[in-house]
Amino acid sequence: MSSNTHSNNHTPAHDALDLIARMVTALELTPLVSVCSFDRNGVVRFCNPAFANMLGIELDSAIGQNIAALRSFGARQSEYDALVEGIWLNGHSSPASDWQVKTGDGRELWLYSICIPVRHDGEMAQIFCMEIDITQRRTEFDALKAAGENFHHMFERSSDAIFLLRDGVVERANPAAVSMFQCEGPRRLVGRRLQDFSPMTQPSGLLSADAASSLAEEALRVGNARAEWHYVDCQGSAFWAEVLMTTVALDGSSLFYVVVRDISARKQAERTLHLAAQVFENSRDAIVLTDRARRIIALNRAFTDITGFAAQDMLGKPVSLYRSGVHEASFYREVWAQVDASDHWEGESWGRKKDGALFPCWTSISAIRDSAGRVSNYMGIVTDITERKKSEEQTRHLAEHDFLTDLPNRVLLLDRLQLALAAARRNHSQLAVLFLDLDRFKTVNDKLGHAVGDRLLKQVAGRLAHCVREADTVSRQGGDEFILLLADVAGAAGAAHAAETVLRALAEEFVLGEHVAHISGSIGIAMFPADGEEFDKLLKHADIAMYHAKQEGRNGYRFFSSEMNARIVERSSLEQGLRRAVAEQQFELAFEPEVEIASGAVVGMEALLRWRHPELGLLLPERFIDVASEAGLMVAIGNWVLQEACRRARGWQEQGREMVVSVNLAPSQFMQKDLPRCVGDALRAAGVPARLLELQLTEAMLMQAGAQTGPLLAQLRGLGVRLSIDDFGTGYSRLRQLKDSPIDKLKIAQSFFEQGGADTTAIRTIIAMARSLDMTVIAEGVETEAQLQLLRELGCDQFQGHLAAGVEGARP
């Protein structure tokens, strides 16, 4: 598990940490609000500099002290103690009120105080107290009350806004009131009610008018009344204020003396503290706060949920006691050095739970500094990333393994092959790459369905995994291709032994539910370093060797050789040349005449494809047709042949020679869905009648096309073209299929005329079959007069071959 620092790996917990850190910093820096917290025993757990300054003590000496030892409440001590006890019992905040306290150095202060309970796991944990020193204001108010003769002087000089109200209407407002309410002068205030400078409702929900009436009634009843108020100044800006309303007698009249103090900063601090407490306690990530000595002073509920450690287990103890034990001491020294240097560290690490269990976590640590720039606290967030790591591991596994067999895929294979090559170079050892392609897998897929084919691939993967050592790798490359990487193999003999083991494993039958399948495999072997020193060359050479194993009968293995490579290079060159030939139309047609035996007349021409290679000259189909088929070029080439043959037939027709042109269809061409459209387009483009075009098929094509054979032949016949079966007698056509197909002609295969003789029995049978099906019959490869005489005696209709070339009109 990595434990390096990551500066850009942000989570919601990091944002929470930043928010809390800024809130705590705000409380540290504000001189307006004194903040402290103490636990059930009255021990101070937290305080800010304003608290220490107010009591005249050092900040460090306050932490850990009993709150009662730092100040006293004189005659009201029992009342204050009862208030605190009530908070612990009922969990409600105390009402804001004034308290006179005596500090440890003998000073007497007036404090405006409010205490807020803080819960942990639903239980009261601490009490936070926020206090404002109002000694000066009380002094001013008492002096004002005691010295009527100085009233006007204090009225004008007071830093608080002061209003004199008669019958609820402002009669006078001091300069501080004009400034606080952002008015151009006192005229904007005089003659109006204070609630006119208030929103319709106060935050408590009361209408401002009703709240003002209640405040005045209380002042009349007890002499004065205090409240917090939401005002809107003359510029439309809202602010919070503390209002003290007192009934006074001035010039013999009963008036209200109202002192207003802006407490927006204090309210903001209260909101900040409340929000910080909520974020701290409700965060889903574990948060822990320490003092500057790294002793734990607070932790949230999520910390207990994640680690099992409760507050009583950790408060007051060094955070180092709870290390996981996985990391070295140097790791922690580096972490704290970075925190002290840059105020922050974050990265992956290991955490330890109370029960001793370890868990991966993302940890963020931040230093919090006081107003003097000194570190006062440390705050950390611990995020349990166990599920995230599992998800990452699962995602990585899916990216590196085949979804069907769960074998390593090409990505992981290349990675392992790189490592194996590095080890082989270092140790001067050999390794082998075996490229396996299953034989007859497509037959299983086509006949039994893809679900059965997938089941077969899974079983193959299992057998292959048992054929190799633990240090070796079996990978599925896709389809029915597998790669076996044999590390540190015992030369070619070791690779051959592995290949033989694989072939024996594949030879056993596969039980696939209700089906049983028998397959074999063709394996190509490339050795390091003899056949290549880089992984791409080894894979390529193993693939070439597999191809030759396939060509030589399958169910075997071949080692790569330079001769194989030469043939593959030639084949690749032919494929590239064929693609260029299709684009540049380098093909030609030769024509072999078809002669009617009875009359001796030329009745048709068979189109034969030739390739005018720019370097190799004129090439026959035997040289390039297989390459074209494997390269997927036969549809394009076949369409060109169709178009060119139709054009030539039109030319003969215009010369007065109406002859049928015969075109051989490639298997891929016959299987394409738009073959009828292509044929129709060729006929229309040439302007030749459909009766002059004959399409030649093979028996194998009819068998392989399956159920779509009938509809396709019907569409072609519907165009008006003729249909014939080429090389008849070499396949396995069923008589019923021939009877039901709209075939016009059978062509007796040339193999029945060998070495100048003829297989009379087979030829007689084919001719009889053609007669019974009302089909024309033509013999291919006729070379001698004796062969022609035999065909004439047996009733054959037409012939073609070397002997036909000498017939008058045989040249196109």
Side-chain angles (χ1 to χ4, degrees), residues 113-135:
S113 174
I114 183 171
C115 293
I116 302 172
V118 175
R119 291 176 171 81
H120 181 79
D121 287 337
E123 300 293 331
M124 282 284 296
Q126 296 184 45
I127 293 179
F128 267 72
C129 292
M130 295 182 292
E131 297 164 337
I132 298 177
D133 187 348
I134 61 171
T135 304

Side-chain angles (χ1 to χ4, degrees), residues 193 195 207-221 229 245 256:
R193 299 176 181 273
Q195 57 261 41
L207 292 172
S208 293
D210 293 342
S213 298
S214 298
L215 186 65
E217 291 174 1
E218 183 180 356
L220 287 172
R221 185 173 66 255
W229 202 269
M245 179 177 284
F256 284 115

Side-chain angles (χ1 to χ4, degrees), residues 439 521-523 544-559 561 563-564 567:
D439 302 329
S522 298
I523 302 174
I544 292 172
M546 181 278 295
Y547 175 79
H548 283 274
K550 210 83 156 170
Q551 278 192 325
E552 294 177 3
R554 305 181 180 184
N555 193 27
Y557 63 90
R558 284 293 307 271
F559 283 87
S561 67
E563 293 79 8
M564 289 181 184
R567 277 181 273 174

Side-chain angles (χ1 to χ4, degrees), residues 2 7 13 32 71 102 182 212 249 300 333 345 461 473 484 504 572 582 612 658 693 737 740 755 759 786:
S2 171
S7 58
L32 300 175
R71 63 188 180 187
K102 188 172 184 179
Q182 298 288 305
N300 68 346
R333 285 196 297 271
W345 177 90
T473 298
L484 286 78
R504 284 196 300 270
S572 176
V582 171
R612 183 70 64 178
E658 190 166 285
L693 175 63
Q737 184 178 31
D740 294 339
Q755 300 177 351
D759 187 338

